Amino acid sequence: MKRMLSGIKPTGQLHLGNYIGALRNFVKYQDEYEMYAFIANLHCITIYQDPQTLKKNLRDCAALYLACGLDPNKAVIFQQSDVRAVSQLGWIMACNSYQGELNRQTQYKDKIAKGETGITVGLYAYPTLMASDILIYNSDYVPVGEDQKQHVELARDIAVRFNNRYGETFVVPEPVIAQVGARIMDLQDPTRKMSKSDNSDKGCIYLLDDPKRARKKIMSAVTDSVGIVQFDKENQPGVANLLQILSSLTQEPIDSIVKRFEGKGYGDFKKEVADAVEAELIKIQTEYNRILSEGILESVLKEGAEKANRTAEKTLRKVQKKIGVEIF
Ligand code: ATP
Ligand code: LTN
């Protein structure tokens, strides 16, 4: 069975974009692949986080992993920092990547272009730790949103380079980008991606939002004056985004939704999207509450960390031997 790995960086509360673009796919893939799903807590601290808030976000993220359907009997679920070997391989990754490569990573480049100051070395080196996450578990596939593809490509480049230099060591991973829902947009500004980081609260639906409030956010989503429900990202980005949300939640193809709404207005359409979102949040939150009240989180993460450590230690030993840093 091929191995798949992915992680989420909960610097805030998880939102619908994370769910549709990432989490829900992890759940689907756990039946087809040997799935490693982790919480990228070390990646969170590349920007200062209030410790108490971070702790809460991490706990919520872990609970949401399970609430959204990740099953500890199928997937290896763990926290990034519980596998110490990842940080150690991260250093080796940094020593096998070039400044020029990191300079080209959009996440960093955008911050520089905006004139941001106080960028940490951790943020700059972020993709090298991510490469370690990917390569240490011999991952074949890495499902990510479009914005993370470049980081997976860097991991590939490092793997190929390392294999050429030191002999066959790493599996060369491939990014997997979902067809629909790879980029859910902000409801108030559909030209920007829905994000926990920098947009207005009204434009982002959090998985732990009160479902009624989430409903309102959909009903007040920005559309356009065209008045036809059709998939035209360029001229009707708001409607296209709602179509993507509805299609990915209900599995109904966009074409078929468009046909059903021929001659109907945006009001009816939004109502149907709002119904789907509300129902999904209720389902997730019911599970989330059950998981927290049963107190199973700690043991799930501990067991996941044990499995992940076994794989990671093997890779690290092999790598250290190949590069000559181990005497015996
Ligand atoms: P944010 O911008 O909200 O901080 P992020 O992309 O920086 O998100 P994560 O929260 O770690 O970082 O994202 C986890 C996964 O969710 C990634 O695979 C990412 O591509 C995906 N993702 C994030 N936002 C969206 C979105 N709006 N639409 C689809 N996928 C998304
Ligand atoms: N950088 C990713 C989170 C992340 C990740 C990974 C995803 C860290 N390590 C390894 C896939 C594979 C993000 O911000 N979404």
Side-chain angles (χ1 to χ4, degrees):
M1 204 185 225
K2 292 273 188 191
R3 185 169 292 167
M4 181 173 258
L5 164 130
S6 202
I8 290 181
K9 175 185 62 136
T11 42
Q13 287 285 316
L14 296 195
H15 53 72
L16 200 62
N18 299 132
Y19 179 60
I20 294 175
L23 200 40
R24 226 176 41 127
N25 297 328
F26 302 175
V27 175
K28 192 178 74 196
Y29 290 134
Q30 70 184 346
D31 294 319
E32 289 166 55
Y33 300 97
E34 191 188 352
M35 185 76 204
Y36 276 55
F38 69 98
I39 295 154
N41 56 354
L42 292 176
H43 275 115
C44 288
I45 57 164
T46 50
I47 296 170
Y48 172 79
Q49 305 290 319
D50 170 66
Q52 288 312 319
T53 314
L54 177 59
K55 203 167 155 180
K56 178 172 185 324
N57 287 337
L58 293 173
R59 189 203 62 159
D60 282 349
C61 177
L64 281 168
Y65 267 28
L66 302 182
C68 292
L70 273 174
D71 177 352
N73 294 316
K74 295 182 187 164
V76 183
I77 304 165
F78 60 102
Q79 291 195 85
Q80 186 181 32
S81 64
D82 283 342
V83 182
R84 307 278 160 112
V86 163
S87 303
Q88 200 158 333
L89 184 69
W91 172 252
I92 298 171
M93 296 286 106
C95 295
N96 283 277
S97 20
Y98 293 98
Q99 194 182 4
E101 289 175 316
L102 296 188
N103 289 346
R104 283 196 295 276
Q105 301 296 308
T106 18
Q107 205 180 28
Y108 167 75
K109 232 169 63 179
D110 287 354
K111 288 199 192 285
I112 294 290
K114 279 192 214 147
E116 279 188 36
T117 52
I119 296 175
T120 64
V121 175
L123 190 122
Y124 182 66
Y126 182 114
T128 56
L129 182 63
M130 181 157 163
S132 172
D133 286 324
I134 296 171
L135 301 184
I136 206 163
Y137 304 111
N138 307 313
S139 320
D140 296 289
Y141 299 111
V142 185
V144 283
E146 246 160 37
D147 57 325
Q148 293 293 321
K149 192 169 168 226
Q150 193 188 21
H151 292 153
V152 183
E153 277 160 2
L154 180 71
R156 276 179 71 88
D157 292 346
I158 298 175
V160 170
R161 178 178 308 143
F162 194 100
N163 289 349
N164 286 337
R165 255 189 204 159
Y166 299 104
E168 214 50 35
T169 310
F170 292 123
V171 171
V172 180
E174 274 179 46
V176 177
I177 311 288
Q179 296 298 317
V180 176
R183 206 169 160 78
I184 300 298
M185 309 309 276
D186 187 282
L187 300 170
Q188 290 299 313
D189 177 1
T191 59
R192 300 166 56 149
K193 81 164 193 162
M194 185 179 282
S195 162
K196 56 190 174 294
S197 325
D198 40 25
N199 302 350
S200 80
D201 181 61
K202 274 177 78 183
C204 180
I205 291 185
Y206 295 97
L207 296 182
L208 296 177
D209 262 350
D210 172 356
K212 291 274 175 275
R213 191 166 145 63
R215 214 194 149 80
K216 280 201 191 118
K217 289 183 184 177
I218 294 285
M219 294 310 291
S220 57
V222 166
T223 48
D224 52 68
S225 55
V226 178
I228 301 168
V229 177
Q230 57 189 359
F231 193 75
D232 180 351
K233 263 191 181 172
E234 188 99 336
N235 301 306
Q236 297 175 256
V239 172
N241 189 35
L242 293 175
L243 275 168
Q244 293 225 47
I245 293 175
L246 184 58
S247 168
S248 39
L249 292 183
T250 61
Q251 311 295 334
E252 182 179 356
I254 288 183
D255 286 355
S256 142
I257 302 175
V258 167
K259 263 211 187 91
R260 284 199 296 109
F261 281 95
E262 247 171 34
K264 292 190 188 157
Y266 290 162
D268 289 340
F269 171 56
K270 279 183 167 178
K271 203 171 149 301
E272 193 168 317
V273 183
D275 286 343
V277 169
E278 187 181 357
E280 198 78 11
L281 292 198
I282 291 173
K283 196 173 78 189
I284 293 171
Q285 291 174 16
T286 307
E287 272 299 284
Y288 166 88
N289 290 326
R290 183 187 65 78
I291 285 149
L292 288 185
S293 69
E294 285 180 3
I296 56 173
L297 218 49
E298 201 177 345
S299 60
V300 167
L301 292 177
K302 190 161 169 264
E303 196 187 313
E306 279 163 14
K307 286 189 200 151
N309 267 300
R310 279 198 289 276
T311 314
E313 283 296 333
K314 265 194 220 145
T315 311
L316 181 65
R317 277 312 291 271
K318 185 158 94 179
V319 168
Q320 298 205 141
K321 281 211 170 104
K322 294 230 169 168
I323 61 179
V325 297
E326 287 200 4
I327 301 175
F328 302 108

